[in-house]
Amino acid sequence: MSEFWLISAPGDKENLQALERMNTVTSKSNLSYNTKFMIPDFKVGTLDSLLGLSDELGKLDIFAESLIKRMAQSVVDVMEDAKGKVQENLLANGADLTSFVTHFEWDMAKYPAKQPLVSIADTLAKQLAQIETDLKSRTAAYSTLKTNLENLEKKSTGNLFTRTLSDIVSKEDFVLGSEYLITLLVIVPKPSYAQWQKTYESLSDMVVPRSTKLIAEDNEGGLFTVTLFRKVIDDFKTKAKENKFTVREFYYDEKEIKREREEMTRLLSDKKQQYGPLLRWLKVNFSEAFIAWIHIKALRVFVESVLRYGLPVNFQAVLLQPHKKSSTKRLREVLNSVFRHLDEVAAASRLDASVEIPGLQLSNQDYFPYVYFHIDLGLLD
């Protein structure tokens, strides 16, 4: 499974024994794979600062998860022709996400544990905010380019009634520069080819004999040229329509056709040039954002454990990876049973039942006797 449960319990002898019982039961019943989750000794600060930080970290956690999901989706969007290789581009420090989480180590260089918790949280928040700003600008530019290219490509698809004709026709198909003559393009249904050949010269006066030529076909019909005098255009169109021949409104403009082709070439070149740098940026910054997110989880466990279990700081964090979705209910029952005795400790740590402590999950529906956070790695679900 691509989810983890990050929990903590007090580090005294009784609760360490409870953790051992949990490990034994979950292992024998094949419920989860459990590892210790190491968290540094941070500067605790005041209770008020921890309460405020608890709320801020909760918001930052949600923002970070949302950001990495958007970045993962951006990788999918950019790698449109190689979606099977998306996962190998969603790494953290060069490791797959599961390995990074299960072998997590606090990055002392980026986030010195000696700093106040508020400062560490602020560093993480600013880092993620900058990544989001850059993500918006970079993906917006690429998206605009991609949309413009798709719009041009759409013109070259579809049937003869709707698609552009500039990549089908050539200068030699038309009578150009004549004051009196003009070449029209007519779509003829396939079953009516013979009828067209027999009747086009007589659909109106002043049609040039033997001037028709088939220049393109699709599943429904063919595109024919026909040359006639300009003065009979309207009459010819009316008679053609009566015979279920459709005149396409198209006038050969060499400059416009050249401009369209150059625009397509330019957009293809720009997309190719932007693809590599954008994908590299996404890979690097996805890794940075994901690493920051797991550090936020670690901070939340520390703060909530201090608020829940009190001082001095003494708790053990454990990372559980449920083996399968169907076993999560049983796993929850095991944890609630093993740590049921913590209810009294948790109640005492709240000081006043009327005080809401953000992030402590105190509702009857979500409250657990131990600190609990969820990590979902199903970023593309």
Side-chain angles (χ1 to χ4, degrees):
M1 286 182 64
S2 59
E3 72 170 283
F4 293 88
W5 296 2
L6 185 53
I7 71 167
S8 79
D12 56 54
K13 183 177 179 181
E14 179 186 4
N15 285 290
L16 289 177
Q17 289 174 345
L19 285 169
E20 285 302 316
R21 287 199 306 276
M22 176 196 74
N23 288 332
T24 300
V25 173
T26 56
S27 176
K28 284 184 176 180
S29 302
N30 197 32
L31 295 175
S32 63
Y33 173 72
N34 309 338
T35 55
K36 286 186 178 180
F37 191 85
M38 305 308 296
I39 299 175
D41 292 326
F42 295 109
K43 292 183 177 180
V44 175
T46 65
L47 178 61
D48 283 346
S49 68
L50 287 181
L51 290 173
L53 186 58
S54 172
D55 187 39
E56 291 304 313
L57 286 174
K59 296 174 184 176
L60 189 57
D61 187 351
I62 294 170
F63 171 70
E65 183 173 7
S66 169
L67 177 60
I68 62 174
K69 284 185 175 180
R70 280 180 281 153
M71 297 186 79
Q73 186 57 53
S74 293
V75 172
V76 173
D77 294 341
V78 171
M79 298 186 69
E80 51 193 308
D81 297 325
K83 291 186 177 179
K85 296 184 178 181
V86 167
Q87 289 295 341
E88 63 191 57
N89 288 282
L90 299 179
L91 305 175
N93 260 358
D96 66 84
L97 304 185
T98 296
S99 296
F100 179 83
V101 173
T102 53
H103 297 88
F104 173 77
E105 292 183 7
W106 186 270
D107 190 333
M108 293 291 186
K110 275 187 180 178
Y111 317 110
K114 292 182 180 179
Q115 288 187 349
L117 288 170
V118 173
S119 298
I120 298 173
D122 187 55
T123 298
L124 287 160
K126 287 178 178 177
Q127 179 189 5
L128 292 171
Q130 185 60 55
I131 290 175
E132 184 193 39
T133 299
D134 292 345
L135 174 68
K136 286 180 178 179
S137 62
R138 288 172 182 267
T139 54
Y142 189 78
S143 179
T144 299
L145 174 62
K146 188 176 173 183
T147 299
N148 291 340
L149 184 57
E150 286 173 351
N151 288 338
L152 268 184
E153 289 173 338
K154 280 179 183 177
K155 290 182 178 181
S156 299
T157 60
N159 58 37
L160 291 171
F161 290 93
T162 58
R163 61 159 296 155
T164 183
L165 302 178
S166 59
D167 60 337
I168 292 177
V169 301
S170 64
K171 187 176 181 180
E172 290 71 28
D173 296 322
F174 296 85
V175 172
L176 300 173
S178 171
E179 183 180 350
Y180 302 105
L181 296 175
I182 186 170
T183 299
L184 301 181
L185 298 177
V186 183
I187 301 169
V188 179
K190 279 190 173 181
S192 304
Y193 281 9
Q195 181 191 352
W196 166 258
Q197 293 288 354
K198 289 178 182 179
T199 62
Y200 80 91
E201 293 180 6
S202 59
L203 287 177
S204 76
D205 296 332
M206 300 184 177
V207 176
V208 177
R210 296 185 298 280
S211 64
T212 193
K213 180 176 67 172
L214 176 64
I215 59 175
E217 284 186 294
D218 63 15
N219 293 332
E220 285 79 38
L223 186 69
F224 289 80
T225 61
V226 61
T227 302
L228 45 90
F229 279 73
R230 291 180 181 272
K231 64 195 309 186
V232 298
I233 289 177
D234 290 340
D235 184 47
F236 183 87
K237 285 182 178 179
T238 301
K239 295 290 176 50
K241 186 176 181 181
E242 289 174 359
N243 287 271
K244 298 183 179 178
F245 306 139
T246 305
V247 177
R248 269 289 306 260
E249 294 296 334
F250 180 87
Y251 297 97
Y252 188 85
D253 184 335
E254 197 166 15
K255 289 183 179 178
E256 179 63 20
I257 290 173
K258 183 181 179 182
R259 187 198 65 76
E260 272 192 30
R261 289 172 179 168
E262 288 177 348
E263 178 72 358
M264 176 70 81
T265 302
R266 183 187 67 79
L267 290 173
L268 285 169
S269 175
D270 289 351
K271 184 182 177 185
K272 187 176 180 180
Q273 288 177 4
Q274 289 190 27
Y275 174 86
L278 177 58
L279 184 58
R280 284 192 293 273
W281 184 89
L282 285 168
K283 287 170 64 175
V284 169
N285 286 274
F286 173 86
S287 174
E288 291 296 311
F290 184 85
I291 292 168
W293 183 44
I294 302 305
H295 279 74
I296 291 167
K297 291 290 188 184
L299 276 182
R300 293 195 75 188
V301 171
F302 181 87
V303 170
E304 304 308 335
S305 296
V306 174
L307 289 172
R308 180 77 64 96
Y309 308 135
L311 295 171
V313 177
N314 184 23
F315 67 89
Q316 176 62 60
V318 179
L319 186 72
L320 294 84
Q321 184 179 16
H323 285 316
K324 50 188 177 181
K325 195 74 176 177
S326 59
S327 66
T328 54
K329 183 179 180 181
R330 172 61 181 150
L331 179 60
R332 180 70 68 197
E333 290 171 351
V334 169
L335 296 184
N336 290 345
S337 174
V338 168
F339 296 110
R340 184 182 293 116
H341 63 280
L342 289 178
D343 271 331
E344 294 178 4
V345 177
S349 72
R350 278 181 276 165
L351 303 178
D352 183 344
S354 65
V355 177
E356 285 194 15
I357 302 179
L360 283 188
Q361 303 161 311
L362 298 181
S363 70
N364 290 332
Q365 182 179 354
D366 295 331
Y367 173 72
F368 306 112
Y370 44 88
V371 170
Y372 161 80
F373 292 105
H374 184 253
I375 301 174
D376 183 5
L377 302 189
L379 303 177
L380 300 176
D381 294 346

